[in-house]
């Protein structure tokens, strides 16, 4: 158990977030491959979104087939079905990605700069540099386009 004070323990969701943060933090991980840092106006899931997930999210100890932190696998071949119109207990009754509605998409909220957008939870990806503004904008453009499987 994770203690916070003598005789006190972190409970429920807070403990789950701490465990996920520690598990995802892989300080020995290689530097992610160089992704293009441009806003893609009409992104394709396969060409523009999945490479971001592969390089930044589906890494050792995080959202890959082996670890599936918080039950989420963002590896190629799994990511689309895992996130589009799909929710989880960690997403406060929100879908990970709600097509056409980035403000109602848990994944979009968790990569934002503004802590209020993230419900004051840690910004993803944990323990690593955040996504760039252009990467975030590209993902938002994809959601705004209806989150197509293309």
């Amino acid at each position: 158990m994770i203690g916070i004070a003598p005789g006190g323990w972190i409970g429920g969701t807070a403990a789950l977030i701490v465990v996920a943060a520690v598990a995802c933090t892989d300080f020995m991980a290689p530097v992610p491959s160089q992704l293009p840092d441009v806003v893609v106006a009409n992104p394709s899931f396969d060409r523009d979104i999945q490479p971001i997930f592969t390089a930044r999210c589906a890494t050792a100890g995080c959202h890959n087939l082996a670890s599936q932190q918080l039950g989420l696998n963002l590896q190629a071949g799994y990511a689309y079905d895992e996130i589009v119109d799909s929710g989880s207990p960690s997403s406060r009754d929100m879908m990970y990605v709600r097509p056409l509605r980035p403000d109602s998409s848990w994944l979009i909220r968790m990569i934002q700069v503004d802590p209020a957008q993230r419900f004051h939870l840690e910004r993803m990806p944990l323990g690593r540099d955040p996504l760039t503004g252009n990467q975030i904008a590209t993902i938002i453009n994809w959601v705004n386009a209806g989150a197509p499987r293309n």
Side-chain angles (χ1 to χ4, degrees):
M1 300 189 94
I2 302 170
I4 58 171
W9 299 98
I10 296 175
T13 303
L16 190 57
I17 297 295
V18 169
V19 169
V22 171
C24 275
T25 305
D26 184 1
F27 295 106
M28 300 305 289
V31 175
S33 63
Q34 294 298 319
L35 295 170
D37 191 18
V38 297
V39 176
V40 179
N42 297 304
S44 156
F45 182 78
D46 290 334
R47 182 189 66 232
D48 304 301
I49 306 303
Q50 185 60 60
I52 296 170
F53 291 162
T54 298
R56 304 301 314 281
C57 310
T59 56
C62 289
H63 302 292
N64 60 29
L65 187 60
S67 48
Q68 296 186 38
Q69 290 299 314
L70 299 176
L72 184 61
N73 177 5
L74 294 177
Q75 283 184 274
Y78 297 90
Y80 188 90
D81 291 329
E82 293 267 333
I83 61 172
V84 177
D85 285 327
S86 177
S88 84
S90 65
S91 64
R92 297 184 184 223
D93 296 325
M94 296 175 74
M95 297 292 147
Y96 281 120
V97 171
R98 185 176 300 276
L100 305 170
R101 298 186 54 201
D103 291 337
S104 296
S105 298
W106 178 257
L107 185 142
I108 300 299
R109 285 176 166 260
M110 294 309 296
I111 60 176
Q112 294 294 329
V113 174
D114 180 6
Q117 287 288 313
R118 299 188 317 267
F119 307 103
H120 299 280
L121 297 171
E122 292 294 322
R123 186 176 182 189
M124 296 292 149
L126 290 174
R128 298 175 186 198
D129 290 336
L131 299 181
T132 69
N134 289 336
Q135 292 166 342
I136 293 168
T138 296
I139 295 169
I140 290 171
N141 287 347
W142 173 70
V143 173
N144 276 330
R149 183 187 289 239
N150 57 359

